[in-house]
């Protein structure tokens, strides 16, 4: 009897991407194998798992639409099972099987480790299993993992959030912040490096609040410095920090630790003090710009990105202009911009002063136009520079047609470059000279100056030696998994950091 196959469909932020790696690991540990893609690009799996997001607009409509498409396929395929997990499952619970009675399993954000057991229970009982835990049963990083990349990895340092932003439902779904022990984090990083990983991204809903459980305000900067002492670890990133908890010791650790990249994603949300207060954000414009100024004074080459919400209830034209002012002052390399939309269960959904859609759209377009201009100007400053690019898999959609490769510079800018004569693998490092800049990428049109084959490239080659075991590539930059086109690109966090 052949092994049952599975497919995990992921929506939302890096937390969900990382959780999906755990779900895949759990299923493979239980004897499932990943379903291969057919010639037409479709996947036919015995078990389909939806790892959902409740933050994105129309998240529930997208889920039920996808579930509806699977209903006839399940009816025609005896033994097929469908599971729904993640933030939307934590929120909607029994509603899911009422609206989609062909779903077999519903599980929440706190008990992803139960998935194989719930699937088997649903098979034996021949009825849906809904199990939502109210608190974390096991830290996700203790669960088996099927990493999506041989050379870059997410490492969760905390789960949950202690903030109470009025537009965000994540604390209600992910719970209060819970930190991992530093020793456990570093042990995981060391194990990943031993397997060939050269870049890690430290993950947390509010990553720089790490240490709040033990009252150590410098715990996060200490963790960054400890990562700097791990031999073979070439690049360290983190996302997403909160301006409230961003301290000078973190800036110093970034500047003084060679393998911590000079790249920072710092959510702004609004430049208006009035709106920030209504959002229940604990900083104001001066505080935010002060952090940016300190980062730039210490690391002039730092690339800073952000999240911005346009049209929050009560936002006036004057409030919006304050956001535009901060964008001009901060000169972000990139901004993930969102049009405010109600999220049931959040205080902002019931606030007075909801902004008409056409007003929000007009402001949004002005903001996008300004940021495009700034991004392009900042990228043009990279022309003529020599950069080390970590070659990535899946970053350049037109690479085959243009005979180029793609990857990320140390500051996380996307770089497309001419394919070298010698073989280059994802995970290897190529030194190139930048000749052209666009708003969202850089281009190196001349032959590479150097190619460095790495242990990360060796790891990628080893993994891909067995075609059946080949995973999908994972981007080194900011994931956009589940991002609905043509809406704004997905933010690196939940859009709520």
């Amino acid at each position: 009897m052949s092994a049952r196959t599975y497919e995990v469909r992921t929506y939302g932020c890096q937390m969900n991407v990382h959780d999906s790696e755990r779900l895949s690991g759990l299923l493979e540990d239980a004897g499932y194998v990943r379903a291969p893609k057919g010639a037409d690009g479709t996947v036919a799996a015995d078990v389909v798992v939806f790892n959902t997001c409740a933050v994105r607009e129309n998240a529930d409509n997208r889920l039920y639409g996808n579930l509806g498409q699977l209903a006839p396929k399940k009816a025609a395929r005896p033994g097929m099972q469908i599971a729904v997990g993640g933030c939307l499952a934590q929120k909607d619970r029994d509603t899911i099987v009422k609206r989609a009675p062909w779903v077999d399993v519903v599980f929440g954000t706190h008990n992803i480790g139960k998935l194989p057991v719930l699937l088997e229970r649903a098979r034996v009982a021949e009825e849906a299993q809904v199990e939502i835990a109210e608190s974390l049963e096991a830290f996700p990083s203790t669960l088996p993992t099927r990493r999506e990349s041989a050379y870059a990895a997410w490492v969760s340092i905390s789960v949950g959030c202690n903030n109470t932003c009025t537009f965000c439902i994540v604390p209600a779904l992910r719970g209060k912040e819970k930190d991992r022990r530093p020793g456990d984090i570093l042990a995981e990083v060391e194990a990943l490096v031993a397997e060939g990983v050269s870049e890690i991204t430290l993950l947390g809903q509010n990553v720089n609040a790490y240490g709040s459980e033990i009252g150590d305000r410098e715990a996060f900067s200490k963790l960054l410095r400890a990562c700097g002492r791990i031999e073979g670890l070439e690049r360290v990133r983190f996302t997403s920090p909160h301006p409230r908890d961003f301290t000078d010791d973190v800036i110093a650790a970034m500047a003084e630790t060679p393998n911590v990249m000079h790249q920072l994603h710092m959510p702004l949300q609004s430049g208006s003090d009035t709106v920030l207060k209504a959002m229940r954000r604990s900083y104001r414009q001066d505080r935010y710009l002060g952090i940016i100024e300190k980062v730039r004074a210490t690391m002039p080459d730092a690339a800073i990105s952000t999240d911005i919400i346009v049209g929050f209830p009560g936002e006036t034209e004057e409030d919006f202009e304050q956001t535009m002012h901060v964008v001009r002052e901060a000169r972000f390399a990139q901004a993930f911009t969102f049009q405010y939309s109600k999220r049931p269960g959040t205080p902002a959904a019931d606030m007075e002063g909801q902004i008409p859609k056409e007003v929000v759209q007009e402001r949004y377009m002005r903001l996008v136009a300004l940021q495009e201009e700034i991004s392009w100007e900042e990228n043009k400053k990279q022309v003529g520079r020599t950069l080390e690019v970590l070659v990535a898999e899946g970053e350049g959609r037109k690479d085959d047609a243009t005979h180029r490769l793609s990857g990320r510079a140390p500051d996380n800018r996307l770089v497309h470059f001419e394919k070298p004569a010698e073989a280059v693998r994802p995970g290897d490092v190529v030194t190139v000279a930048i000749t052209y800049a666009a708003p969202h990428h850089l281009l190196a049109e001349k032959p590479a100056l150097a190619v460095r084959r790495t242990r990360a490239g060796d790891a990628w080659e080893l993994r891909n030696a067995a075609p059946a075991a080949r995973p999908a590539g994972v981007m080194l930059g900011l994931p956009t998994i589940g991002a609905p086109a043509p809406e704004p690109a997905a933010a690196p966090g939940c859009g709520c950091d």
Side-chain angles (χ1 to χ4, degrees):
M1 182 177 178
S2 59
R4 282 170 61 77
T5 60
Y6 77 90
E7 176 192 5
V8 179
R9 301 184 185 183
T10 311
Y11 304 92
C13 67
Q14 290 103 320
M15 281 294 184
N16 279 21
V17 176
H18 190 43
D19 283 350
S20 288
E21 291 184 333
R22 304 294 176 189
L23 293 170
S24 296
L26 284 160
L27 290 171
E28 295 193 3
D29 205 46
Y32 294 80
V33 297
R34 176 171 289 191
K37 283 189 177 182
D40 60 354
T42 60
V43 176
D46 297 313
V47 174
V48 178
V49 183
F50 290 88
N51 189 12
T52 64
C53 170
V55 173
R56 303 290 182 228
E57 187 173 9
N58 297 322
D60 53 347
N61 292 336
R62 296 185 65 222
L63 171 65
Y64 293 115
N66 286 324
L67 290 176
Q69 292 175 2
L70 281 183
K73 295 181 180 179
K74 185 182 180 188
R77 185 178 179 128
M80 181 180 176
Q81 291 181 296
I82 301 172
V84 179
C87 290
L88 195 63
Q90 186 80 21
K91 180 174 77 74
D92 284 1
R93 307 182 180 218
D94 295 295
T95 303
I96 293 173
V97 292
K98 289 177 181 176
R99 291 185 60 177
W102 54 92
V103 169
D104 299 277
V105 171
V106 178
F107 62 101
T109 59
H110 298 308
N111 62 331
I112 65 175
K114 287 287 187 69
L115 177 59
V117 172
L118 292 173
L119 286 169
E120 182 63 14
R121 194 185 297 168
R123 186 186 66 81
V124 173
E126 295 184 340
E127 64 178 13
Q129 302 295 307
V130 179
E131 188 169 306
I132 305 293
E134 298 302 328
S135 58
L136 195 66
E137 292 185 349
F139 206 97
S141 294
T142 64
L143 302 173
T145 306
R146 188 192 196 284
R147 300 281 179 178
E148 290 298 315
S149 170
Y151 49 88
W154 313 108
V155 175
S156 181
I157 69 171
S158 65
V159 294
C161 181
N162 293 339
N163 294 320
T164 58
C165 301
T166 55
F167 56 82
C168 182
I169 199 170
V170 167
L173 304 179
R174 292 275 182 178
K176 291 292 185 181
E177 183 179 319
K178 184 173 179 60
D179 295 336
R180 286 179 76 189
R181 293 176 58 249
D184 292 342
I185 297 168
L186 294 172
E188 181 179 355
V189 174
E190 289 171 347
L192 287 167
V193 172
E195 293 171 4
V197 168
S198 62
E199 172 177 306
I200 61 109
T201 301
L202 302 176
L203 284 183
Q205 220 75 53
N206 183 8
V207 69
N208 60 323
Y210 178 75
S212 60
E213 279 193 316
I214 59 175
D216 184 357
R217 286 181 57 81
E218 295 189 356
F220 184 61
S221 62
K222 293 174 183 175
L223 183 62
L224 290 177
R225 292 181 185 277
C227 287
R229 294 190 287 272
I230 297 177
E231 188 175 351
L233 179 58
E234 297 193 16
R235 296 185 176 188
V236 178
R237 306 186 192 277
F238 57 89
T239 196
S240 286
H242 192 293
R244 182 195 67 186
D245 301 300
F246 206 85
T247 50
D248 291 350
D249 59 291
V250 172
I251 298 174
M254 290 178 67
E256 297 166 9
T257 310
N259 65 357
V260 176
M261 299 296 95
H262 292 183
Q263 175 239 334
L264 176 65
H265 183 79
M266 180 74 79
L268 169 65
Q269 308 304 5
S270 174
S272 163
D273 289 353
T274 302
V275 174
L276 288 171
K277 183 178 180 180
M279 288 178 167
R280 213 177 287 161
R281 302 286 285 180
S282 52
Y283 56 89
R284 299 296 178 260
Q285 182 187 120
D286 285 351
R287 159 72 173 156
Y288 187 92
L289 287 175
I291 294 172
I292 302 300
E293 184 178 357
K294 287 181 179 179
V295 169
R296 289 254 164 77
T298 309
M299 296 171 282
D301 61 337
I304 302 172
S305 56
T306 195
D307 296 335
I308 300 173
I309 296 173
V310 178
F312 188 80
E315 180 188 75
T316 65
E317 179 62 23
E318 290 73 21
D319 292 324
F320 176 68
E321 282 299 333
Q322 287 300 305
T323 296
M324 297 284 273
H325 168 71
V326 174
V327 170
R328 292 186 186 98
E329 290 293 312
R331 299 195 64 79
F332 299 114
Q334 189 175 17
F336 296 85
T337 51
F338 300 86
Q339 296 183 37
Y340 173 78
S341 59
K342 290 184 178 181
R343 294 294 183 272
T346 63
D350 299 319
M351 285 182 176
E352 295 181 356
Q354 301 287 329
I355 311 297
K357 177 67 176 178
E358 59 272 18
V359 175
V360 178
Q361 175 71 18
E362 190 275 335
R363 289 177 184 171
Y364 172 79
M365 295 306 294
R366 275 193 282 154
L367 174 60
V368 168
L370 173 62
Q371 182 55 51
E372 286 275 305
E373 179 184 331
I374 292 173
S375 294
W376 200 356
E377 289 174 355
E378 291 301 306
N379 275 358
K380 286 177 181 177
K381 295 177 182 177
Q382 305 298 311
V383 174
R385 291 191 63 194
T386 299
L387 301 177
E388 284 197 336
V389 178
L390 179 58
V391 182
E393 186 176 27
E395 288 275 28
R397 296 178 183 176
K398 299 179 181 179
D399 281 353
D400 289 340
T402 58
H403 303 290
R404 292 173 179 149
L405 295 177
S406 300
R408 295 280 169 174
D411 65 6
N412 209 42
R413 284 181 165 92
L414 177 62
V415 180
H416 304 302
F417 57 94
E418 183 179 316
K419 186 179 293 187
E422 61 186 286
V424 177
R425 310 156 300 177
D428 288 338
V429 176
V430 177
T431 303
V432 299
I434 303 302
T435 59
Y436 176 81
H440 303 293
H441 70 266
L442 303 175
L443 187 60
E445 301 165 291
K446 297 179 181 179
L449 301 176
V451 174
R452 177 163 60 88
R453 294 174 68 85
T454 66
R455 290 176 60 252
D458 294 341
W460 181 90
E461 191 169 36
L462 180 64
R463 174 182 285 199
N464 284 268
R470 180 173 183 170
V474 66
M475 296 182 180
L476 291 178
L478 305 169
T480 57
I481 291 179
E487 296 178 5
C494 282
C496 54
D497 307 284

